[in-house]
Amino acid sequence: MQAIVLVGGEGTRLRPLTYGTPKPMVPIVNVPFLARTLERLYEAGIRDVILPAGYMPGAITEYFGDGSRLGMKITYVIEEVPLGTAGAVKNVEEHITGPFFVLNGDVLTSLDLTAMMRYHGEKGGLGALHLIKVDDPSAFGCVVHDAAGRITRFVEKPPKGSEPTDEVNAGTYLLERAVLDLIPPGRNVSIERETFPRLLAEGYSLYAYTTADYWIDLGRPEHYLQAHRDMLTGAMPFRLDASESAVAAGGAGIVPPVHLGAGVSIDPSATVGPHVVLGPGCRIGRNAVVKGSVLWEGVIVGDGAVIDQSIVASRSSIGAGASIGAGSVIGHDMVIAPGSFVEPGSRRGPAAPVVSG
Ligand code: GDD
Ligand code: MG
């Protein structure tokens, strides 16, 4: 079995974080998100992964290389212009030899891929789609199916109040190779809006694989923080890599659950936690307070600074006495002046990507 992980999106809703780091490389508890996805594929016995990329692909290829470090074979196919979720799949057609998984590159889930393979084997048809029930289906692709699981309709991001169901496309598909024949080459094609509806219109079958797994789309800052809370509390089961340091068990000023990267230094008078992840080399000053937040590597927090429910990207520095209001997102290499007040929900970062290729 092969897998295509879609990693070409620009991550616009995560800006300014994605001006310096492409979405698949955004750290989830200090490990690039894509590494966690690849681990899950590996556990399901999948060793052959194709990555259609396009936005900042260099950051991805540099980290994962040919995949041998993970015991996998990774093939990169770089899009000159974004081809969309189906166009990207069509574009890697020459590498696909049989049935294959397609994964949205920004979904964190406990879905059991092996069980999904079994389900597809039982149901047949051109594919199985993982569905999940959510509170606000209007933000996703609604998928309607009959009692036998056969999908009858796709409604992508319907206006609030008009959702036909609370079951949504969870971004994992198991497809037969024949699906590739239904995607036109050489242009932008959306699998959700064009390919899946066309497949139904032509009389082919797709089946709904609805589960009650942990599931979250990391595409928005509030979901990114939620995912961290869930991993820290154990609501989302995940495995810590041997190279990751243990979850801090408490101690001077540390309020669990907290996860600390290597080489972090915290002044004994500071308060860190609950629900905090500090990247490698972060330094937290005297009487500083960090709660409900994720700091990437090398972030410096000055004496008396307060960071609440926010994300701070790599190497930024929060001046002494500064206060970062809840829901803020601070991009890479930013300097927040001492004593300043960053309003809740602020975005501070460069106006455009700072890393290319
Ligand atoms: N290679 C490539 N090329 N990848 C792309 C492109 C492209 O042109 N466009 C998007 N992607 C990747 C993104 O990087 C992401 O991993 C995935 O495709 C889905 O794109 P998003 O932009 O995150 O879509 P969404 O979250 O609004 O909606 C999709 O996901 C929902 C579940 O999370 C849809 O599939 C919805 O139906 C679904 O409910
Ligand atoms: Mg998404």
Side-chain angles (χ1 to χ4, degrees):
M1 182 75 66
Q2 296 172 292
I4 300 172
V5 186
L6 296 170
V7 292
E10 292 187 14
T12 51
R13 289 163 293 192
L14 278 182
R15 286 175 184 168
L17 301 175
T18 44
Y19 279 144
T21 300
K23 192 158 65 168
M25 299 307 289
V26 161
I28 300 293
V29 192
N30 287 332
V31 173
F33 177 58
L34 182 56
R36 301 212 178 268
T37 302
L38 294 178
E39 241 171 60
R40 211 156 50 82
L41 290 170
Y42 187 92
E43 281 163 13
I46 296 164
R47 302 286 184 271
D48 189 349
V49 177
I50 299 136
L51 298 181
Y55 179 72
M56 292 189 178
I60 306 173
T61 56
E62 254 165 54
Y63 187 90
F64 293 102
D66 63 2
S68 49
R69 192 163 45 90
L70 300 172
M72 301 176 118
K73 176 183 155 217
I74 300 180
T75 307
Y76 302 91
V77 180
I78 312 295
E79 291 158 43
E80 293 297 323
V81 289
L83 291 170
T85 44
V89 171
K90 181 69 176 178
N91 197 43
V92 304
E93 181 169 24
E94 59 177 308
H95 301 289
I96 303 294
T97 54
F100 56 99
F101 273 105
V102 177
L103 275 65
N104 281 354
D106 58 350
V107 162
L108 178 69
T109 178
S110 58
L111 170 69
D112 178 349
L113 295 167
T114 311
M116 187 163 168
M117 289 188 241
R118 271 199 305 275
Y119 178 82
H120 177 55
E122 287 160 15
K123 288 291 184 181
L126 277 194
L129 276 56
H130 180 218
L131 307 188
I132 206 100
K133 293 186 185 193
V134 296
D135 293 336
D136 178 15
S138 70
F140 302 103
C142 292
V143 183
V144 184
H145 60 83
D146 66 17
R150 192 168 176 216
I151 295 174
T152 54
R153 202 148 65 96
F154 291 92
V155 191
E156 188 67 18
K157 312 208 173 92
K160 253 197 171 82
S162 72
E163 303 93 334
T165 170
D166 62 349
E167 285 178 76
V168 303
N169 169 11
T172 300
Y173 324 127
L174 177 46
L175 303 175
E176 291 297 324
R177 202 176 182 288
V179 170
L180 296 171
D181 300 333
L182 297 162
I183 308 172
R187 69 166 169 88
N188 191 297
V189 185
S190 158
I191 204 162
E192 305 87 352
R193 294 176 194 272
E194 189 174 335
T195 307
F196 289 152
R198 170 173 175 195
L199 220 137
L200 300 189
E202 296 195 9
Y204 296 105
S205 307
L206 290 172
Y207 286 91
Y209 183 59
T210 307
T211 74
D213 278 292
Y214 181 87
W215 183 86
I216 198 165
D217 177 324
L218 293 163
R220 291 166 192 270
E222 59 273 28
H223 294 164
Y224 177 78
L225 287 177
Q226 181 67 47
H228 278 86
R229 264 195 303 278
D230 293 339
M231 291 179 96
L232 289 170
T233 58
M236 161 67 193
F238 83 110
R239 215 160 29 95
L240 280 174
D241 195 272
S243 63
E244 299 173 60
S245 69
V247 176
I254 292 185
V255 188
V258 167
H259 188 274
L260 308 178
V264 161
S265 87
I266 301 173
D267 189 274
S269 64
T271 304
V272 172
H275 308 126
V276 167
V277 174
L278 300 182
C282 280
R283 296 210 318 260
I284 312 297
R286 270 183 292 130
N287 295 312
V289 176
V290 183
K291 52 185 175 183
S293 296
V294 178
L295 277 47
W296 296 7
E297 66 180 291
V299 172
I300 311 294
V301 180
D303 295 348
V306 177
I307 305 178
D308 182 22
Q309 316 285 333
S310 293
I311 308 165
V312 184
S314 304
R315 301 171 303 275
S316 283
S317 119
I318 311 299
S323 168
I324 310 293
S328 293
V329 182
I330 313 291
H332 299 66
D333 301 297
M334 299 304 291
V335 177
I336 304 297
S340 54
F341 176 68
V342 174
E343 297 235 11
S346 297
R347 299 276 182 283
R348 293 288 176 86
V354 290
V355 179
S356 62

